[in-house]
Amino acid sequence: MNTSEFVFKGSKKNIETATYTWQTPSNIALVKYWGKSEPQIPKNASISFTLNNCHTTTKINFTKVEKQTTPLFDLFFEGKKKDEFKPKIAKFLDRIKEYCPYIFDYKMTIYSENSFPHSSGIASSASGLSAIAMCLMSLEKELNPDINPAFFNKKASFLARLGSGSASRSIEGPLVVWGEHPNIKESSDLYGVPFSYEVADIFKNYQDTILLVDKGEKQVSSTVGHNLMHNHPYAENRFKQANDNLEKLSKILQSGDIKNFINLVESEALTLHAMMLTSNPYFILMKPNTLQIINEIWNYRATNNSNICFTLDAGANVHVLYPHNEKEAINQFIETKLSVYCQKNQYICDETGSGAKAL
Ligand code: PMV
């Protein structure tokens, strides 16, 4: 695997202090990534909708210091110093050091906040790590202004991936593929690429309402979860199925075949959970209310001839997906019928977005 293009080629300018702020989104996978090998190489290709309203805003102050042997940084989350989050960032910086050696020349002060409630069960690693990656790339571009915008995003996604696989899909939007696939142009295991084929109108401005069924800490961290796919009895079939599903979904997105979209997306969600049900140790990540919601969605779809469907992350929350033209009716259904299954009746209205924004 050739990663040499991502090694920093050297500074052309001396920068003493700099501050950059980026807002980067969360994403929701339609074809799921579950299973990886070192260093953060996915076992299958995946595709996600980039979200718009669920995002992280991160500001990093860089101050030049004597060259360090380990990166020097402080971390503030939602206004408070968070030393407990530092090991994850330290590990990320360690993974990217050969590509971004300039991190040893600066003291970094990182200020981060999420638009969604903390511990809402919504994974913040994708938006959080992609935001740091974008700030680092802003510094890199100032050190070497020759970098073009395409390489900027590609390397940001490459770096974000080394922090959290799904973070590689949080740089651009509204649809991003990560993982090499023979039928998706330019796809790579090293970084995410925007889905480059023309998408049917029905899939534009797609809506995602996230029902907060369980806001607690994740029962299974994604590191543990991915590891469960090693020696999993169904692993090889699953990886093949995911790649086949991506190929099918690519055609569906282009043709506008929403019935098959619903079938494929729901099957992917349930398969992800089936992998955890059938691993050893085994986990049930859905809660009773997750199942109640799924049944309500199926009832509503059947009785209203609707195109509502659901997907799931590695947790109990439900992402309700539907086309923009059903927004009014489905919002009412969610408020009256589904919110009762959410903790404190809470849910987040979101839709597809275009990716990272410099602030
Ligand atoms: O990026 P990670 O390591 O947190 O893994 C994310 C895995 C899922 O969210 C369950 C699926 C996906 O493709 O995003």
Side-chain angles (χ1 to χ4, degrees):
M1 198 148 302
N2 189 359
T3 55
S4 58
E5 68 171 306
F6 298 111
V7 177
F8 182 59
K9 305 289 183 299
S11 303
K12 296 201 168 161
K13 277 170 76 179
N14 180 37
I15 307 292
E16 288 296 328
T17 59
T19 300
Y20 308 100
T21 308
W22 280 92
Q23 185 185 87
T24 59
S26 184
N27 67 72
I28 180 67
L30 302 171
V31 173
K32 311 287 182 182
Y33 146 65
W34 200 242
K36 64 178 172 183
S37 53
E38 283 294 321
Q40 302 273 90
I41 299 300
K43 290 285 192 182
N44 61 262
S46 58
I47 184 168
S48 50
F49 272 141
T50 303
L51 297 181
N52 193 54
N53 304 334
C54 289
H55 51 69
T56 297
T57 302
T58 295
K59 175 170 92 173
I60 306 188
N61 289 339
F62 294 91
T63 308
K64 194 139 189 194
V65 291
E66 291 255 304
K67 194 173 269 307
Q68 303 289 306
T69 46
T70 47
L72 199 59
F73 70 98
D74 269 325
L75 182 71
F76 293 81
F77 181 70
E78 294 178 350
K80 294 198 186 80
K81 202 152 185 270
K82 281 277 179 189
D83 287 343
E84 62 268 41
F85 291 177
K86 282 182 84 174
K88 187 160 184 172
I89 307 298
K91 192 170 166 196
F92 168 61
L93 294 172
D94 189 58
R95 282 192 166 165
I96 65 164
K97 65 184 180 207
E98 63 184 290
Y99 307 105
C100 307
Y102 48 80
I103 57 174
F104 294 106
D105 299 330
Y106 291 90
K107 157 111 203 276
M108 297 173 273
T109 313
I110 307 171
Y111 302 91
S112 201
E113 53 193 55
N114 291 338
S115 64
F116 45 90
H118 180 50
S119 77
S120 54
I122 299 179
S124 57
S125 60
S127 53
L129 288 157
S130 55
I132 296 176
M134 290 305 263
C135 292
L136 290 171
M137 286 310 295
S138 287
L139 174 65
E140 180 162 328
K141 183 158 171 63
E142 205 150 332
L143 292 168
N144 181 354
D146 295 344
I147 291 172
N148 67 45
F151 181 77
F152 187 105
N153 280 351
K154 186 165 143 179
K155 182 165 173 183
S157 173
F158 171 85
L159 297 175
R161 178 198 113 244
L162 289 167
S164 163
S166 59
S168 67
R169 301 187 312 240
S170 273
I171 303 294
E172 298 186 75
L175 281 158
V176 178
V177 174
W178 168 47
E180 197 176 330
H181 191 287
N183 298 96
I184 305 280
K185 275 189 292 199
E186 315 281 329
S187 59
S188 170
D189 285 346
L190 299 177
Y191 46 83
V193 293
F195 182 73
S196 59
Y197 306 90
E198 183 59 29
V199 170
D201 284 347
I202 190 92
F203 296 120
K204 292 183 180 153
N205 297 325
Y206 222 69
Q207 304 294 300
D208 178 6
T209 301
I210 308 161
L211 306 181
L212 304 178
V213 173
D214 183 20
K215 304 200 292 168
E217 278 287 300
K218 271 192 176 179
Q219 202 190 117
V220 184
S221 73
S222 58
T223 311
V224 171
H226 290 292
N227 280 336
L228 293 172
M229 292 305 279
H230 295 304
N231 305 318
H232 190 292
Y234 307 136
E236 288 313 313
N237 279 336
R238 163 59 196 154
F239 303 143
K240 182 178 180 314
Q241 178 201 40
N243 284 326
D244 291 348
N245 276 346
L246 180 52
E247 176 142 13
K248 286 182 193 155
L249 188 59
S250 168
K251 293 194 180 112
I252 288 169
L253 290 168
Q254 294 172 68
S255 68
D257 179 356
I258 196 157
K259 297 292 174 214
N260 277 318
F261 173 88
I262 292 168
N263 179 275
L264 190 149
V265 166
E266 291 190 345
S267 168
E268 271 290 317
L270 295 176
T271 302
L272 170 70
H273 281 253
M275 289 301 107
M276 281 171 278
L277 288 167
T278 51
S279 61
N280 208 335
Y282 37 79
F283 295 95
I284 303 178
L285 300 186
M286 292 189 228
K287 298 282 183 214
N289 281 352
T290 311
L291 294 175
Q292 297 279 16
I293 290 166
I294 291 173
N295 280 311
E296 293 276 6
I297 288 173
W298 285 346
N299 269 336
Y300 180 90
R301 187 159 79 218
T303 49
N304 295 279
N305 193 24
S306 164
N307 287 314
I308 191 172
C309 73
F310 71 87
T311 188
L312 307 165
D313 248 331
N317 293 339
V318 181
H319 288 248
V320 186
L321 300 176
Y322 46 99
H324 188 257
N325 62 15
E326 289 194 56
K327 186 172 173 175
E328 213 175 304
I330 291 178
N331 282 354
Q332 212 181 338
F333 163 61
I334 290 171
E335 179 57 31
T336 55
K337 287 277 168 46
L338 300 185
S339 67
V340 297
Y341 300 110
C342 301
Q343 279 194 1
K344 296 193 191 145
N345 292 58
Q346 281 180 327
Y347 57 88
I348 298 173
C349 296
D350 212 334
E351 59 189 345
T352 54
S354 58
K357 293 186 179 84
L359 298 184

